[in-house]
Amino acid sequence: SFSCPRDSEVCRSDSDVSRVGWFFFTLFGVIHLTPDMLNGLKLVWGASKHGFTKKGLHIFIGGCFLFTITALALYATVVFNVATSRSDVEMIFNTVVLLFVNDLDEKMFTSLHTINSEWLEKITSEIAGSFRGNIKVDIQYAAANHELRDEQTRRIEQIEKKLLEKIMRVETEYEKLKTEYNKLKTEVKGLKARHTTKSIKIKTIQHTTKNIKIKTIQAIVIAENKKLQERSSRLRNRASNKEQG
């Protein structure tokens, strides 16, 4: 935006619009206005097939009007944003509002189709029939486009429904596998506990057996020592008796 002080002949810019604002402005403009401009050029190009006839003239004028209106909408959007936008947010907001106003005719067409689709299809068929199939009516304004959209919507809903069913099945299978995994984990823990208990029992038995063997050997050694002591005492007694005799 520009401000022009009364005491100066030079106007200064107060705009803080950056490249981001201009990027989104260009993006929105291309997305919304390019189809209409291309359709206008197609109509102008298609008028040459009919030569200098009434029908060719109608097609040429219609294409020129469509292209000119779209170009004027783009020009008005640029001039308005340059004159009034002080920030990126204002530029994006102004662009969206202006492009929405430019699409009011299409919204009106959609509203008419919702209110009385049979009458609108009849009018559209009459317009299409007046061209005798020599040129293609813009699919954006044909009733077949709405039927195609409805069919596509139904297909998308069916696909989404199937995907949801598959997702539910996968989730169910996942829960089952998770439950089985938890069971197996519990069983593994039980087996580990049993193995630990058995290992403890085995070690206890081995230790007890070892102690018993040691005690048995000690008892045998003590008994043998006693026997040796008794024999030695007997031999001493015999030796002492022989000496006395």
Side-chain angles (χ1 to χ4, degrees), residues 5 10 19 22 41 48 56 59 89 97 101 111 118 122 155 167 227:
V10 179
R19 294 181 179 179
W22 285 108
L41 292 175
S48 61
I59 296 171
V89 176
V97 171
V101 172
S111 300
E118 295 180 357
K122 181 180 178 181
R155 290 181 180 178
I167 290 171
K227 288 179 180 180

Side-chain angles (χ1 to χ4, degrees), residues 60-75:
F60 180 80
I61 293 173
C64 290
F65 269 110
L66 181 59
F67 180 82
T68 304
I69 290 172
T70 307
L72 287 175
L74 180 61
Y75 174 77

